[in-house]
CSV table of all heavy atoms in Angstrom, one decimal:
chain,number,residue,atom,x,y,z
A,106,PHE,N,132.1,-7.8,101.4
A,106,PHE,CA,131.8,-6.9,100.3
A,106,PHE,C,132.6,-5.6,100.4
A,106,PHE,O,132.7,-4.8,99.5
A,106,PHE,CB,130.3,-6.6,100.3
A,106,PHE,CG,129.6,-7.9,99.9
A,106,PHE,CD1,128.7,-8.4,100.8
A,106,PHE,CD2,129.8,-8.5,98.7
A,106,PHE,CE1,128.0,-9.6,100.5
A,106,PHE,CE2,129.1,-9.6,98.4
A,106,PHE,CZ,128.2,-10.2,99.3
A,117,LEU,N,142.1,-4.2,89.7
A,117,LEU,CA,142.2,-5.6,90.1
A,117,LEU,C,143.5,-6.3,89.8
A,117,LEU,O,143.9,-7.2,90.5
A,117,LEU,CB,141.1,-6.4,89.3
A,117,LEU,CG,139.7,-6.3,89.9
A,117,LEU,CD1,138.7,-7.0,89.0
A,117,LEU,CD2,139.7,-6.9,91.3
A,147,LYS,N,128.6,2.8,104.5
A,147,LYS,CA,128.8,1.7,103.5
A,147,LYS,C,128.4,2.2,102.1
A,147,LYS,O,129.1,1.9,101.1
A,147,LYS,CB,127.9,0.6,103.9
A,147,LYS,CG,128.4,-0.7,103.3
A,147,LYS,CD,127.9,-1.9,104.1
A,147,LYS,CE,128.7,-2.1,105.4
A,147,LYS,NZ,128.1,-3.1,106.3
A,148,VAL,N,127.4,3.1,102.0
A,148,VAL,CA,127.1,3.6,100.7
A,148,VAL,C,128.2,4.5,100.2
A,148,VAL,O,128.5,4.5,99.0
A,148,VAL,CB,125.7,4.4,100.7
A,148,VAL,CG1,125.3,4.8,99.4
A,148,VAL,CG2,124.7,3.6,101.4
A,151,PHE,N,130.9,2.8,98.3
A,151,PHE,CA,130.5,2.4,97.0
A,151,PHE,C,130.4,3.6,96.1
A,151,PHE,O,130.7,3.5,94.9
A,151,PHE,CB,129.2,1.5,97.0
A,151,PHE,CG,129.4,0.1,97.4
A,151,PHE,CD1,129.3,-0.3,98.7
A,151,PHE,CD2,129.8,-0.8,96.4
A,151,PHE,CE1,129.6,-1.6,99.0
A,151,PHE,CE2,130.0,-2.1,96.7
A,151,PHE,CZ,129.9,-2.5,98.0
A,154,MET,N,133.7,4.4,95.0
A,154,MET,CA,134.1,3.5,93.9
A,154,MET,C,133.5,3.8,92.6
A,154,MET,O,134.2,3.7,91.6
A,154,MET,CB,133.7,2.1,94.4
A,154,MET,CG,134.1,1.0,93.4
A,154,MET,SD,133.3,-0.5,93.8
A,154,MET,CE,131.7,-0.2,93.1
A,159,VAL,N,134.0,5.7,87.0
A,159,VAL,CA,133.6,6.5,85.9
A,159,VAL,C,134.8,7.3,85.3
A,159,VAL,O,135.0,7.4,84.1
A,159,VAL,CB,132.5,7.5,86.4
A,159,VAL,CG1,132.3,8.6,85.3
A,159,VAL,CG2,131.2,6.8,86.6
A,163,ALA,N,139.3,1.2,84.8
A,163,ALA,CA,140.0,0.0,85.3
A,163,ALA,C,140.7,0.2,86.7
A,163,ALA,O,141.6,-0.4,87.1
A,163,ALA,CB,141.1,-0.4,84.3
E,162,ARG,N,130.9,2.5,80.2
E,162,ARG,CA,132.4,2.6,80.4
E,162,ARG,C,133.0,1.3,80.9
E,162,ARG,O,134.2,1.1,80.7
E,162,ARG,CB,132.7,3.8,81.3
E,162,ARG,CG,132.4,5.1,80.7
E,162,ARG,CD,132.7,6.2,81.7
E,162,ARG,NE,134.1,6.3,82.0
E,162,ARG,CZ,135.0,6.9,81.2
E,162,ARG,NH1,134.6,7.5,80.1
E,162,ARG,NH2,136.3,7.0,81.5
E,163,LEU,N,132.2,0.5,81.6
E,163,LEU,CA,132.8,-0.6,82.3
E,163,LEU,C,132.5,-1.9,81.6
E,163,LEU,O,131.5,-2.1,80.9
E,163,LEU,CB,132.3,-0.7,83.7
E,163,LEU,CG,132.6,0.6,84.5
E,163,LEU,CD1,132.0,0.5,85.9
E,163,LEU,CD2,134.1,0.9,84.6
E,166,ILE,N,133.8,-7.8,85.5
E,166,ILE,CA,133.7,-7.8,86.9
E,166,ILE,C,133.6,-6.4,87.4
E,166,ILE,O,132.9,-6.1,88.4
E,166,ILE,CB,134.8,-8.6,87.6
E,166,ILE,CG1,134.6,-8.7,89.1
E,166,ILE,CG2,136.2,-7.9,87.3
E,166,ILE,CD1,133.5,-9.6,89.5
E,167,TYR,N,134.3,-5.4,86.7
E,167,TYR,CA,134.2,-4.0,87.2
E,167,TYR,C,132.7,-3.5,87.1
E,167,TYR,O,132.3,-2.8,88.0
E,167,TYR,CB,135.1,-3.1,86.3
E,167,TYR,CG,136.5,-3.3,86.5
E,167,TYR,CD1,137.3,-4.1,85.7
E,167,TYR,CD2,137.1,-2.6,87.6
E,167,TYR,CE1,138.7,-4.2,86.0
E,167,TYR,CE2,138.5,-2.7,87.8
E,167,TYR,CZ,139.3,-3.5,87.0
E,167,TYR,OH,140.6,-3.7,87.3
E,170,VAL,N,130.6,-5.2,90.0
E,170,VAL,CA,130.8,-4.6,91.4
E,170,VAL,C,130.2,-3.2,91.4
E,170,VAL,O,129.6,-2.7,92.3
E,170,VAL,CB,132.3,-4.6,91.8
E,170,VAL,CG1,132.4,-4.0,93.1
E,170,VAL,CG2,132.8,-6.0,91.8
E,177,PHE,N,123.5,-1.4,97.5
E,177,PHE,CA,123.8,-0.8,98.8
E,177,PHE,C,123.1,0.6,98.9
E,177,PHE,O,122.7,1.0,99.9
E,177,PHE,CB,125.3,-0.7,99.0
E,177,PHE,CG,125.9,-2.0,99.4
E,177,PHE,CD1,126.4,-2.8,98.4
E,177,PHE,CD2,126.0,-2.4,100.7
E,177,PHE,CE1,126.9,-4.1,98.8
E,177,PHE,CE2,126.5,-3.6,101.1
E,177,PHE,CZ,127.0,-4.4,100.1
E,181,TYR,N,120.3,1.8,101.6
E,181,TYR,CA,120.4,3.0,102.4
E,181,TYR,C,119.1,3.9,102.2
E,181,TYR,O,118.5,4.4,103.1
E,181,TYR,CB,121.6,3.8,102.1
E,181,TYR,CG,121.7,5.2,102.7
E,181,TYR,CD1,121.9,5.3,104.0
E,181,TYR,CD2,121.5,6.3,101.9
E,181,TYR,CE1,121.9,6.6,104.6
E,181,TYR,CE2,121.5,7.6,102.5
E,181,TYR,CZ,121.7,7.7,103.8
E,181,TYR,OH,121.7,8.9,104.4
E,307,GLU,N,121.3,-6.3,105.5
E,307,GLU,CA,121.7,-6.3,104.1
E,307,GLU,C,121.2,-7.6,103.3
E,307,GLU,O,121.4,-7.6,102.1
E,307,GLU,CB,123.3,-6.3,104.1
E,307,GLU,CG,123.8,-4.9,104.0
E,307,GLU,CD,124.9,-4.7,105.0
E,307,GLU,OE1,125.1,-5.6,105.9
E,307,GLU,OE2,125.5,-3.6,105.0
E,313,LEU,N,121.5,-8.1,98.5
E,313,LEU,CA,122.4,-8.8,97.5
E,313,LEU,C,122.0,-10.2,97.3
E,313,LEU,O,122.1,-10.7,96.2
E,313,LEU,CB,123.8,-8.7,98.0
E,313,LEU,CG,124.9,-9.3,97.2
E,313,LEU,CD1,124.9,-8.5,95.9
E,313,LEU,CD2,126.2,-9.3,97.8
Side-chain angles (χ1 to χ4, degrees):
Chain A
F106 296 116
L117 279 176
K147 203 156 278 170
V148 188
F151 278 94
M154 183 194 74
V159 168
Chain E
R162 290 179 66 80
L163 304 176
I166 186 71
Y167 285 98
V170 180
F177 284 90
Y181 171 72
E307 269 131 350
L313 181 65

